[in-house]
Structures are given as C-alpha cells and as structure tokens.
Amino acid sequence: RQLWHTATLQQLLKLGIPSSVQYTMEVAAFSVSGIMVGWLGATQQAAHQIALNCASTTFMVALGFSVAGSIRVSYAYGQANQQQMLAIGKSTLLGGLLYGLICALGLSLGNQWLPQIFTNESVVLGLAANLLLYAALFQISDAAQAIGVGLCRGRKDVKVPTIFVAIAYWVIGIPTGYYLAFVQELQAAGIWLGLVAGLTTSGLLLNLRFFNQIYRKVA
C-alpha cells in the first residue's frame, strides 16, 4: 500500500513540477513585460495595465477551454483511444480559435471605449486604445497556446512543452519586446509585439507537438 502511494506521488510530481514551471514562466514573462513598460513612465504603464486587464479577462474563457480539453484528452488517453484524442484536440482547438477571433473583433471594435471604464485621462486613453489593438492581435495566439498546453498535459506530455514555453517567452518574446521597445523605440507597443511573438510561437509549437504525437500513433 505504501508503494502505491509513493508511485502516485512520483507521478504527480512528474506532471506537477513541469506544469508549475510552465505557468511560472508565462506569468513571469508578463510581469517582466510590465516592469519594462514601467521604465517608459507612468502614462505608458497605466495604458499597459488597462490593455492587460482586458486581455486577462478574455483569457479566462480560453483557459477554460484548456482545462476542459486536458480533462477530455486524459480520459481518452487512459483508454488508449488515439482517434478520440484527435477528435477532442481538433474540436477544442477549433472552439478556442473561434473564441479568440470573436475576442479579437471585440477588442478591436471596442478599443476606444473600453479604456474609459478605467480612466478619463486623455493621454492614457489614446495609448490604451492603441495597445488594445495589439491585445486583439494576440487573442487567437493566446487561446491557441493555452489550449496547446492543456492538450499536451492531458497526454502526460509536459517536459518538452515546458522547453517550448521557455523558448517562446524567454528566447523570443521578451528579447523581441525589449529590442522593439528600446532599440527601435516603439515603446510599449514594441513590448506588446514581443508578447505577440512569444504567444504565437508557443501556440504553434505546442499544438504541433500534440497533433504530431497523435498522428504518429494513428498512422
């Protein structure tokens, strides 16, 4: 009985530690981005926080898709049903991409009035409206990467995805944002373009990983 508990704990740690590292790297990347925006001044920081709050709100549904997809894939994985995992992966990703598209349209169309919920400072409103367009740009990528993480996790595939997340945010996203913001002098917009690059890379790598693994089994 004790051996069973030890084996279970080992399995939990093998899944839990890489998963926690994934979340930590993602949250840390957004936190560091916020710090870099702060170097540009209070006005840029205020606009950044407004856009980030809006993007974080829309992300909650994408996160729900991720969790639901992970649970459904894990059930099919336990049955060794590759076809079902493939169907679940496709439907979850399609639903998430459709949701991301709707959010992108919503943020684009509402970029002028959404910031007014937070402030009436005209300068901040203008900057926030601009950043919301970049937030709209990464809605699809953000949904895709969240779903990719969940689908891979449902198959107990966490080690390689953790490397992908590290590359996406810390090799591509943050350095690109810094370069565009401070070298190319795009300021906060450059940092948001870096986030777009990181999220897009993460979404592509994670979903390619999941579907390649499944297609190999099916074939």
Side-chain angles (χ1 to χ4, degrees):
R1 188 174 182 180
Q2 184 62 38
L3 289 175
W4 182 87
H5 286 300
T6 302
T8 301
L9 180 60
Q10 290 176 343
Q11 288 294 319
L12 289 173
L13 290 175
K14 286 180 180 180
L15 290 173
I17 292 176
S19 296
S20 66
V21 171
Q22 291 171 9
Y23 281 122
T24 299
M25 287 190 294
E26 181 177 353
V27 172
F30 276 86
S31 298
V32 169
S33 296
I35 292 172
M36 290 194 296
V37 174
W39 298 341
L40 298 168
T43 302
Q44 298 267 346
Q45 180 68 276
H48 170 77
Q49 287 301 322
I50 289 172
L52 188 60
N53 281 340
C54 293
S56 299
T57 300
T58 59
F59 177 71
M60 291 300 101
V61 176
L63 184 60
F65 273 101
S66 173
V67 174
S70 180
I71 293 170
R72 295 189 66 210
V73 166
S74 66
Y75 183 77
Y77 179 78
Q79 296 179 319
N81 191 332
Q82 303 297 328
Q83 291 289 353
Q84 189 177 14
M85 278 190 281
L86 181 59
I88 292 168
K90 287 180 177 179
S91 61
T92 305
L93 181 59
L94 181 61
L97 293 178
L98 180 60
Y99 169 75
L101 179 60
I102 293 171
C103 290
L105 290 173
L107 292 179
S108 298
L109 295 174
N111 74 312
Q112 296 295 328
W113 63 266
L114 282 172
Q116 296 177 27
I117 299 173
F118 301 89
T119 184
N120 56 8
E121 293 287 337
S122 59
V123 178
V124 176
L125 288 173
L127 288 172
N130 184 47
L131 293 183
L132 277 175
L133 294 177
Y134 294 102
L137 186 61
F138 74 50
Q139 288 302 298
I140 295 175
S141 299
D142 205 10
Q145 67 85 24
I147 289 168
V149 167
L151 295 178
C152 289
R153 189 173 299 142
R155 294 186 66 257
K156 296 185 177 181
D157 183 16
V158 292
K159 291 182 180 179
V160 173
T162 300
I163 296 173
F164 286 166
V165 170
I167 292 171
Y169 292 119
W170 293 97
V171 177
I172 295 176
I174 295 298
T176 299
Y178 182 89
Y179 174 78
L180 293 175
F182 299 102
V183 178
Q184 296 298 318
E185 298 183 352
L186 295 180
Q187 299 189 8
I191 293 172
W192 277 73
L193 284 172
L195 292 175
V196 171
L199 290 167
T200 301
T201 302
S202 180
L204 287 173
L205 291 177
L206 291 168
N207 283 285
L208 285 174
R209 168 76 177 179
F210 174 79
F211 286 106
N212 282 338
Q213 294 285 321
I214 298 297
Y215 278 120
R216 286 178 186 175
K217 299 285 186 178
V218 173

